[in-house]
Amino acid sequence: SKKEVRFLGEEEVVEVVSAAVEEALSRAEESRTFYTQTVIPKEPKRAATAGSGSGSNKRPADAVLLQDSDGEGSDRAEESAAPVPKSSAKKRPPYDPSKLVRTDYQAPAGLMDLFVSRTSKAVTGAPAVAAAAADVHVLPKVGLSRRSAAAAPMLSSIRELLAECEGKKDSRVAALLKEQTFVGVTDEFCGFCVVQSNLDLVLIEVKPFAEEVAYQQILTKFADLESWLLPSPAPVAFLIHKFLESPVSNWKQEDGPIDECARRLTKVLRDNRELLFEYFSIELTDIDAPPSECSDFYPRETDDATQPILAVVALPRVFDSNKHAPDLRCLPEVLFALAASVRWELREKDVFSDIARVIACFYSEWLGDAGGEKQAHEKSTEKSAVNEERAAQVQFAYLPASQRHFCPPETFRREGVVREIVSVNSLYKVFERC
């Protein structure tokens, strides 16, 4: 109940308040000296009436200047004009605790977590996602930093894409996201989260929201992205081959042999690797020998054995925080999408948009994914670690990024990605009884 609620550090707070009150009361007995100024006589009433049209806005003649001995004074005017009616005076609105906003959207993310105690659990056998993210290092792109006045000029095609995002902006959703504070996630797989914006509680579908935020972040930092340096080079052909063998690839016999498809798609990435690195910080390089775990895949006594092996060594870093790496298990699918889904034959604007969408999907792929996660992690401790990392990405990466320079599309409200669910003041009576 409310009677059982106590302040954190109540004794220290009371001691500080008591000391401040005693100090203020002790100063009340000090002597103060005031200086007065002779009052200018009032004008005759008839003269004031005759010149009321031109002198109504002048300073009253009977002003008295009061000044303290320390030099800080105030000019207090005692006007002789007619008193202001009480009905026209501004009245302070009545105090209504149900309409108070008790959150601060300008506070750092996670500030209130300091007041929440959690039981620490030892995680044994961390999942591949957390392990891979822990091994990833930040590699600033040579010659470039975060976009600033001295950064490389933005291409006209990127400006057009950003203008399209601005044209589809939903002002109401943008206002909700700008002043939002993270409340929590609604399910263990982080499919939805709740934020508070002023007096409104807002429900957000995480996966499409995160994809759009990452997409606009990539466009904003175009040609200015930093890189994640992978722990070891990842062979492209081997990863694409593995993805084509999986059921999610929808590969069919009429598409041709898998080995031939993997080589053809690898050649597409090899031909465009300069563009991928210069504008999106995806670094592809040739290595002489494959890693030991995939050495059986590459030929040893054929003509292809002399060809260099194309491998991924760095991926783009979309968000500022070092802790929010993408899920490396999705890397085979991303390489396949870059080679097969990007419309390389179209104009520059379409190519850049397709690449940005693929990278955005890469960052948001594991958010809200409840399908394979139950099968991939059977231990509850491992699932808990992954789910906490998901919630941390939403709270510390995607939501803060949506507060600045983000244009939520109109489809967010139409498709229910962002929806207002309830007003806090309507819940006040419910919580008041607790």
Side-chain angles (χ1 to χ4, degrees), residues 174-195:
L176 291 174
L177 295 176
K178 184 177 181 180
E179 300 183 356
Q180 48 85 11
T181 305
F182 179 74
V183 176
V185 295
T186 61
D187 59 297
E188 61 175 336
F189 296 104
C190 200
F192 293 86
C193 71
V194 177
V195 300

Side-chain angles (χ1 to χ4, degrees), residues 122-413:
V123 180
T124 58
V129 183
D135 293 336
V136 172
H137 306 282
V138 179
L139 178 65
K141 191 173 181 180
V142 178
L144 290 175
S145 58
R146 293 181 58 189
R147 184 165 297 281
S148 60
M154 191 174 291
L155 300 180
S156 59
S157 57
I158 298 299
R159 296 184 184 275
E160 292 177 6
L161 291 174
L162 291 173
E164 290 179 0
C165 296
E166 182 71 26
K168 300 176 182 178
K169 178 180 177 180
D170 190 318
S171 301
R172 173 57 182 167
V173 177
L176 291 174
L177 295 176
K178 184 177 181 180
E179 300 183 356
Q180 48 85 11
T181 305
F182 179 74
V183 176
V185 295
T186 61
D187 59 297
E188 61 175 336
F189 296 104
C190 200
F192 293 86
C193 71
V194 177
V195 300
Q196 180 175 342
S197 179
N198 290 326
L199 292 176
D200 297 319
L201 289 181
V202 183
L203 184 67
I204 299 177
E205 188 178 355
V206 171
K207 193 169 184 177
F209 168 77
E211 181 179 343
E212 185 64 27
V213 171
Y215 173 74
Q216 295 189 23
Q217 282 282 306
I218 295 168
L219 295 181
T220 303
K221 298 180 180 181
F222 178 80
D224 199 24
L225 290 162
E226 293 182 351
S227 299
W228 293 109
L229 184 62
L230 297 182
S232 61
V236 174
F238 173 76
L239 295 178
I240 294 179
H241 189 278
K242 289 296 182 183
F243 175 75
L244 291 174
E245 290 179 339
S246 64
V248 296
S249 66
N250 296 324
W251 174 83
K252 301 177 182 178
Q253 292 290 342
E254 50 267 25
D255 296 332
I258 292 182
D259 294 343
E260 183 180 347
C261 292
R263 293 192 187 96
R264 184 172 65 252
L265 296 176
T266 302
K267 185 179 183 302
V268 173
L269 296 180
R270 184 188 297 275
D271 295 340
N272 296 278
R273 59 179 174 178
E274 290 81 7
L275 180 147
L276 292 172
F277 175 68
E278 181 178 359
Y279 295 136
F280 297 98
S281 299
I282 301 177
E283 187 173 357
L284 303 172
T285 187
D286 293 326
I287 58 178
D288 297 331
S292 57
E293 58 268 18
C294 57
S295 58
D296 296 339
F297 171 77
Y298 290 92
R300 299 180 180 179
E301 299 178 356
T302 62
D303 296 337
D304 294 336
T306 58
Q307 296 292 330
I309 300 173
L310 187 67
V312 185
V313 296
L315 296 172
R317 176 189 174 197
V318 176
F319 297 99
D320 296 335
S321 177
N322 299 344
K323 300 180 180 180
H324 306 302
D327 186 358
L328 296 182
R329 293 175 301 177
C330 301
L331 185 57
E333 183 178 358
V334 171
L335 295 175
F336 173 81
L338 285 174
S341 300
V342 176
R343 298 166 293 178
W344 297 100
E345 71 280 358
L346 298 183
R347 56 179 182 168
E348 178 184 81
K349 174 183 172 181
D350 299 324
V351 173
F352 289 157
S353 177
D354 291 346
I355 297 175
R357 285 293 179 189
V358 170
I359 300 174
C361 291
F362 181 31
Y363 266 82
S364 61
E365 185 65 29
W366 72 321
L367 294 170
D369 179 21
E373 204 61 49
K374 294 180 179 179
Q375 300 176 358
H377 305 295
E378 297 180 356
K379 297 182 180 180
S380 59
T381 55
E382 294 182 358
K383 287 192 295 184
S384 176
V386 174
N387 298 333
E388 289 181 3
E389 189 169 348
R390 285 172 167 172
Q393 284 207 18
V394 174
Q395 180 179 5
F396 297 104
Y398 294 99
L399 289 176
S402 67
Q403 290 182 301
R404 55 186 187 275
H405 310 302
F406 178 60
C407 302
E410 297 173 349
T411 55
F412 271 15
R413 188 162 19 169

